[in-house]
Coordinates of all heavy atoms in Angstrom, one line a residue:
M214 N 2.7 -86.7 -111.2 CA 3.4 -86.5 -109.9 C 2.7 -85.3 -109.2 O 2.1 -84.4 -109.9 CB 4.8 -86.1 -110.2 CG 5.7 -87.3 -110.6 SD 5.6 -88.6 -109.3 CE 7.2 -88.9 -109.0
L215 N 2.9 -85.2 -107.9 CA 2.3 -84.1 -107.2 C 3.2 -82.9 -107.3 O 4.4 -83.0 -107.4 CB 2.3 -84.5 -105.7 CG 1.2 -85.5 -105.3 CD1 1.4 -85.9 -103.8 CD2 -0.2 -84.9 -105.5
G216 N 2.6 -81.8 -107.2 CA 3.3 -80.5 -107.3 C 3.9 -80.2 -105.9 O 3.7 -81.0 -104.9
T217 N 4.5 -79.1 -105.8 CA 5.1 -78.7 -104.5 C 4.0 -78.5 -103.4 O 4.2 -78.9 -102.3 CB 5.9 -77.4 -104.6 OG1 6.8 -77.5 -105.7 CG2 6.6 -77.0 -103.4
N218 N 2.9 -77.9 -103.8 CA 1.8 -77.7 -102.9 C 1.2 -79.0 -102.4 O 0.8 -79.2 -101.2 CB 0.7 -76.9 -103.5 CG 1.1 -75.4 -103.7 OD1 2.0 -75.0 -103.0 ND2 0.4 -74.7 -104.6
G219 N 1.1 -80.0 -103.3 CA 0.6 -81.3 -102.9 C 1.5 -82.0 -101.9 O 1.0 -82.6 -100.9
V220 N 2.8 -81.9 -102.1 CA 3.7 -82.5 -101.2 C 3.7 -81.8 -99.8 O 3.7 -82.5 -98.8 CB 5.2 -82.5 -101.8 CG1 6.2 -82.9 -100.7 CG2 5.3 -83.4 -103.0
L221 N 3.6 -80.5 -99.9 CA 3.5 -79.7 -98.6 C 2.2 -80.1 -97.9 O 2.2 -80.3 -96.7 CB 3.5 -78.2 -98.9 CG 3.5 -77.3 -97.8 CD1 4.8 -77.5 -96.9 CD2 3.4 -75.9 -98.2
L222 N 1.1 -80.2 -98.6 CA -0.2 -80.6 -98.0 C -0.1 -82.0 -97.3 O -0.5 -82.2 -96.2 CB -1.3 -80.5 -99.0 CG -2.7 -80.8 -98.5 CD1 -3.1 -79.7 -97.5 CD2 -3.7 -80.8 -99.6
L223 N 0.5 -82.9 -98.0 CA 0.6 -84.3 -97.5 C 1.5 -84.3 -96.3 O 1.2 -85.0 -95.3 CB 1.1 -85.2 -98.5 CG 0.1 -85.7 -99.6 CD1 0.8 -86.6 -100.6 CD2 -1.0 -86.4 -99.0
T224 N 2.6 -83.5 -96.3 CA 3.5 -83.4 -95.1 C 2.7 -82.9 -93.9 O 2.8 -83.4 -92.8 CB 4.7 -82.6 -95.5 OG1 5.3 -83.1 -96.6 CG2 5.7 -82.6 -94.3
L225 N 2.0 -81.8 -94.2 CA 1.3 -81.2 -93.1 C 0.2 -82.1 -92.5 O 0.0 -82.2 -91.3 CB 0.6 -79.9 -93.5 CG 1.6 -78.7 -93.8 CD1 0.8 -77.5 -94.3 CD2 2.3 -78.3 -92.5
L226 N -0.5 -82.8 -93.4 CA -1.5 -83.8 -92.9 C -0.8 -84.9 -92.1 O -1.4 -85.4 -91.1 CB -2.2 -84.4 -94.1 CG -3.3 -83.5 -94.8 CD1 -3.9 -84.2 -96.0 CD2 -4.4 -83.2 -93.8
L227 N 0.3 -85.4 -92.5 CA 1.0 -86.4 -91.8 C 1.4 -85.9 -90.4 O 1.2 -86.6 -89.4 CB 2.3 -86.8 -92.6 CG 3.1 -88.0 -92.0 CD1 2.2 -89.3 -92.0 CD2 4.3 -88.2 -92.8
Y228 N 2.0 -84.7 -90.3 CA 2.3 -84.1 -89.1 C 1.1 -84.0 -88.2 O 1.1 -84.3 -87.0 CB 3.0 -82.8 -89.2 CG 4.5 -82.9 -89.6 CD1 5.0 -82.0 -90.5 CD2 5.3 -83.9 -89.1 CE1 6.4 -82.1 -90.9 CE2 6.6 -84.0 -89.4 CZ 7.2 -83.1 -90.4 OH 8.5 -83.2 -90.7
A229 N 0.0 -83.5 -88.7 CA -1.2 -83.3 -88.0 C -1.7 -84.7 -87.4 O -2.1 -84.8 -86.3 CB -2.3 -82.7 -88.8
A230 N -1.6 -85.7 -88.2 CA -2.1 -87.0 -87.8 C -1.2 -87.6 -86.7 O -1.7 -88.1 -85.7 CB -2.1 -88.0 -89.0
I231 N 0.1 -87.4 -86.8 CA 1.0 -87.8 -85.7 C 0.8 -87.1 -84.4 O 0.7 -87.7 -83.3 CB 2.5 -87.6 -86.2 CG1 2.8 -88.6 -87.3 CG2 3.5 -87.8 -85.0 CD1 4.1 -88.4 -88.0
I232 N 0.6 -85.7 -84.5 CA 0.4 -84.9 -83.3 C -1.0 -85.3 -82.7 O -1.1 -85.5 -81.4 CB 0.4 -83.4 -83.7 CG1 1.8 -83.0 -84.0 CG2 -0.1 -82.6 -82.5 CD1 1.9 -81.6 -84.6
Y233 N -2.0 -85.6 -83.5 CA -3.3 -86.0 -83.0 C -3.2 -87.3 -82.2 O -3.7 -87.5 -81.1 CB -4.3 -86.1 -84.2 CG -5.6 -86.6 -83.8 CD1 -6.5 -85.8 -83.1 CD2 -6.0 -87.9 -84.1 CE1 -7.8 -86.3 -82.8 CE2 -7.3 -88.4 -83.7 CZ -8.2 -87.5 -83.1 OH -9.4 -88.0 -82.7
G234 N -2.4 -88.3 -82.8 CA -2.3 -89.6 -82.2 C -1.5 -89.4 -80.8 O -1.9 -90.1 -79.9
V235 N -0.5 -88.6 -80.8 CA 0.3 -88.5 -79.6 C -0.5 -87.8 -78.5 O -0.5 -88.2 -77.3 CB 1.6 -87.6 -79.9 CG1 2.2 -87.2 -78.6 CG2 2.5 -88.4 -80.8
V236 N -1.3 -86.8 -78.9 CA -2.2 -86.1 -77.9 C -3.2 -87.1 -77.3 O -3.4 -87.2 -76.1 CB -2.9 -84.9 -78.5 CG1 -4.0 -84.4 -77.6 CG2 -1.8 -83.8 -78.7
R237 N -3.8 -87.9 -78.2 CA -4.8 -88.9 -77.7 C -4.1 -90.0 -76.8 O -4.7 -90.4 -75.8 CB -5.5 -89.6 -78.8 CG -6.5 -88.7 -79.5 CD -7.4 -89.4 -80.5 NE -8.0 -90.6 -79.8 CZ -9.3 -90.7 -79.6 NH1 -10.1 -89.8 -80.0 NH2 -9.8 -91.8 -79.1
L238 N -2.9 -90.4 -77.1 CA -2.2 -91.3 -76.3 C -1.9 -90.7 -74.9 O -2.0 -91.4 -73.9 CB -0.9 -91.7 -77.0 CG -0.2 -93.0 -76.5 CD1 -1.1 -94.2 -76.8 CD2 1.1 -93.2 -77.3
I239 N -1.4 -89.5 -74.9 CA -1.1 -88.8 -73.6 C -2.4 -88.7 -72.8 O -2.3 -89.0 -71.6 CB -0.5 -87.4 -73.9 CG1 0.9 -87.6 -74.4 CG2 -0.5 -86.6 -72.6 CD1 1.6 -86.3 -75.0
K240 N -3.5 -88.3 -73.4 CA -4.8 -88.2 -72.6 C -5.1 -89.5 -72.0 O -5.6 -89.6 -70.9 CB -5.9 -87.7 -73.5 CG -5.9 -86.2 -73.8 CD -7.1 -85.9 -74.6 CE -7.2 -84.4 -74.9 NZ -8.4 -84.1 -75.7
Y241 N -5.0 -90.6 -72.8 CA -5.3 -92.0 -72.4 C -4.5 -92.3 -71.1 O -5.0 -92.8 -70.1 CB -5.1 -93.0 -73.5 CG -5.2 -94.4 -73.1 CD1 -6.5 -95.0 -73.1 CD2 -4.1 -95.2 -72.8 CE1 -6.7 -96.3 -72.8 CE2 -4.3 -96.5 -72.4 CZ -5.6 -97.1 -72.4 OH -5.7 -98.4 -72.1
F242 N -3.2 -92.1 -71.2 CA -2.3 -92.4 -70.1 C -2.6 -91.6 -68.9 O -2.5 -92.1 -67.8 CB -0.8 -92.3 -70.5 CG -0.3 -93.5 -71.3 CD1 0.3 -93.3 -72.5 CD2 -0.4 -94.7 -70.8 CE1 0.8 -94.4 -73.2 CE2 0.1 -95.8 -71.5 CZ 0.7 -95.7 -72.7
I243 N -2.9 -90.3 -69.1 CA -3.2 -89.5 -67.9 C -4.5 -90.0 -67.3 O -4.5 -90.2 -66.0 CB -3.3 -88.0 -68.4 CG1 -2.0 -87.4 -68.7 CG2 -4.0 -87.2 -67.3 CD1 -2.0 -86.1 -69.3
R244 N -5.5 -90.2 -68.1 CA -6.8 -90.7 -67.5 C -6.7 -92.0 -66.7 O -7.1 -92.1 -65.6 CB -7.8 -90.8 -68.6 CG -9.2 -91.2 -68.1 CD -10.2 -91.3 -69.2 NE -10.3 -90.0 -69.8 CZ -10.4 -89.8 -71.1 NH1 -10.3 -90.8 -72.0 NH2 -10.5 -88.6 -71.6
Y245 N -6.1 -93.0 -67.4 CA -6.0 -94.3 -66.7 C -4.9 -94.3 -65.7 O -5.0 -95.1 -64.7 CB -5.9 -95.4 -67.8 CG -7.1 -95.5 -68.5 CD1 -7.3 -95.0 -69.8 CD2 -8.2 -96.1 -67.9 CE1 -8.5 -95.1 -70.5 CE2 -9.5 -96.2 -68.6 CZ -9.6 -95.7 -69.8 OH -10.8 -95.8 -70.5
G246 N -3.9 -93.5 -65.8 CA -2.9 -93.4 -64.7 C -3.4 -92.9 -63.5 O -3.2 -93.4 -62.4
I247 N -4.3 -91.9 -63.6 CA -4.9 -91.3 -62.4 C -5.9 -92.3 -61.8 O -5.9 -92.4 -60.5 CB -5.6 -90.0 -62.8 CG1 -4.6 -88.9 -63.1 CG2 -6.6 -89.5 -61.7 CD1 -5.2 -87.6 -63.7
D248 N -6.7 -93.0 -62.6 CA -7.6 -94.0 -62.1 C -6.8 -95.1 -61.3 O -7.2 -95.5 -60.2 CB -8.4 -94.6 -63.2 CG -9.5 -93.7 -63.7 OD1 -9.8 -92.7 -63.0 OD2 -10.1 -94.1 -64.7
Y249 N -5.7 -95.5 -61.9 CA -4.9 -96.5 -61.3 C -4.3 -96.1 -60.0 O -4.3 -96.8 -59.0 CB -3.8 -96.9 -62.2 CG -2.8 -98.0 -61.7 CD1 -3.2 -99.3 -61.7 CD2 -1.5 -97.6 -61.2 CE1 -2.3 -100.3 -61.1 CE2 -0.7 -98.5 -60.7 CZ -1.0 -99.9 -60.7 OH -0.2 -100.8 -60.2
Y250 N -3.8 -94.8 -59.9 CA -3.3 -94.2 -58.7 C -4.3 -94.2 -57.6 O -4.0 -94.6 -56.5 CB -2.7 -92.8 -59.0 CG -2.3 -92.1 -57.8 CD1 -1.1 -92.4 -57.1 CD2 -3.1 -91.1 -57.2 CE1 -0.7 -91.7 -56.0 CE2 -2.8 -90.4 -56.1 CZ -1.6 -90.7 -55.5 OH -1.2 -90.1 -54.4
F251 N -5.5 -93.8 -57.9 CA -6.5 -93.7 -56.9 C -7.0 -95.0 -56.4 O -7.3 -95.2 -55.2 CB -7.7 -92.8 -57.3 CG -7.4 -91.3 -57.2 CD1 -7.3 -90.5 -58.3 CD2 -7.2 -90.7 -56.0 CE1 -7.0 -89.2 -58.2 CE2 -6.9 -89.4 -55.8 CZ -6.8 -88.6 -57.0
K252 N -7.0 -96.0 -57.3 CA -7.4 -97.4 -56.9 C -6.3 -97.9 -55.9 O -6.6 -98.5 -54.9 CB -7.5 -98.3 -58.1 CG -8.8 -98.1 -58.8 CD -8.9 -99.1 -60.0 CE -10.1 -98.8 -60.9 NZ -10.1 -99.6 -62.1
K253 N -5.0 -97.7 -56.2 CA -4.0 -98.2 -55.4 C -4.0 -97.4 -54.0 O -3.8 -98.0 -53.0 CB -2.6 -97.9 -56.0 CG -2.3 -98.8 -57.1 CD -2.2 -100.2 -56.6 CE -0.9 -100.9 -57.1 NZ -0.8 -102.3 -56.7
L254 N -4.3 -96.1 -54.0 CA -4.4 -95.4 -52.8 C -5.5 -95.9 -52.0 O -5.4 -96.0 -50.7 CB -4.6 -93.9 -53.2 CG -4.4 -92.8 -52.1 CD1 -2.9 -92.9 -51.6 CD2 -4.8 -91.5 -52.6
D255 N -6.7 -96.1 -52.6 CA -7.8 -96.6 -51.8 C -7.5 -98.0 -51.2 O -7.9 -98.3 -50.1 CB -9.0 -96.7 -52.8 CG -10.3 -97.1 -52.1 OD1 -10.4 -96.7 -50.9 OD2 -11.1 -97.8 -52.6
A256 N -6.9 -98.9 -52.0 CA -6.5 -100.2 -51.5 C -5.6 -100.1 -50.3 O -5.7 -100.8 -49.3 CB -5.9 -101.0 -52.6
R257 N -4.6 -99.2 -50.4 CA -3.7 -99.0 -49.3 C -4.4 -98.5 -48.1 O -4.1 -98.9 -46.9 CB -2.6 -98.0 -49.8 CG -1.4 -98.0 -48.8 CD -0.3 -97.1 -49.3 NE 0.2 -97.4 -50.6 CZ 0.6 -96.6 -51.5 NH1 0.5 -95.3 -51.3 NH2 1.0 -97.0 -52.7
Q258 N -5.3 -97.5 -48.2 CA -6.0 -97.0 -47.1 C -6.9 -98.1 -46.4 O -6.9 -98.2 -45.2 CB -6.9 -95.8 -47.5 CG -6.0 -94.6 -47.7 CD -6.9 -93.4 -48.2 OE1 -8.0 -93.6 -48.6 NE2 -6.3 -92.2 -48.2
T259 N -7.6 -98.9 -47.2 CA -8.4 -99.9 -46.6 C -7.6 -101.0 -45.9 O -8.0 -101.5 -44.9 CB -9.3 -100.6 -47.7 OG1 -8.5 -101.0 -48.7 CG2 -10.4 -99.6 -48.2
E260 N -6.4 -101.2 -46.4 CA -5.5 -102.2 -45.8 C -5.0 -101.7 -44.5 O -4.9 -102.4 -43.5 CB -4.3 -102.4 -46.8 CG -3.5 -103.6 -46.5 CD -2.4 -103.8 -47.5 OE1 -2.7 -104.3 -48.6 OE2 -1.3 -103.4 -47.2
Q261 N -4.7 -100.3 -44.4 CA -4.2 -99.8 -43.1 C -5.3 -99.7 -42.1 O -5.1 -99.8 -40.9 CB -3.7 -98.4 -43.3 CG -2.4 -98.4 -44.1 CD -1.9 -97.0 -44.3 OE1 -2.6 -96.0 -44.1 NE2 -0.7 -96.9 -44.9
E262 N -6.6 -99.6 -42.5 CA -7.7 -99.5 -41.5 C -8.0 -100.9 -40.8 O -8.6 -100.9 -39.7 CB -9.0 -99.1 -42.2 CG -8.9 -97.6 -42.6 CD -10.1 -97.2 -43.5 OE1 -11.0 -98.0 -43.8 OE2 -10.1 -96.0 -43.9
K263 N -7.6 -102.0 -41.4 CA -7.8 -103.3 -40.8 C -7.0 -103.5 -39.5 O -6.0 -103.0 -39.3 CB -7.5 -104.4 -41.8 CG -8.5 -104.4 -42.9 CD -8.2 -105.6 -43.9 CE -9.2 -105.6 -45.0 NZ -9.0 -106.6 -45.9

């Protein structure tokens, strides 16, 4: 069985992996959300110019 230090290390690694995944997901949504917003804005402007 793992000792107290091993359990603590595994818990910290698990938390670090979860935080890392959440940060990457947030970055992904920010990047593609901004791209989507500007595409919609561009489409709206070209529609109004016609």
Side-chain angles (χ1 to χ4, degrees):
M214 288 303 236
L215 287 173
T217 308
N218 288 339
V220 172
L221 183 63
L222 183 64
L223 283 177
T224 305
L225 289 175
L226 283 173
L227 185 64
Y228 282 141
I231 291 170
I232 291 170
Y233 176 75
V235 168
V236 167
R237 285 193 52 114
L238 199 63
I239 290 170
K240 282 183 178 180
Y241 174 85
F242 279 125
I243 288 172
R244 180 178 300 137
Y245 290 103
I247 289 171
D248 284 348
Y249 177 77
Y250 171 76
F251 280 115
K252 283 181 188 173
K253 287 295 230 183
L254 194 64
D255 187 35
R257 191 178 302 144
Q258 285 177 349
T259 55
E260 199 175 276
Q261 287 177 354
E262 289 173 359
K263 291 183 181 179

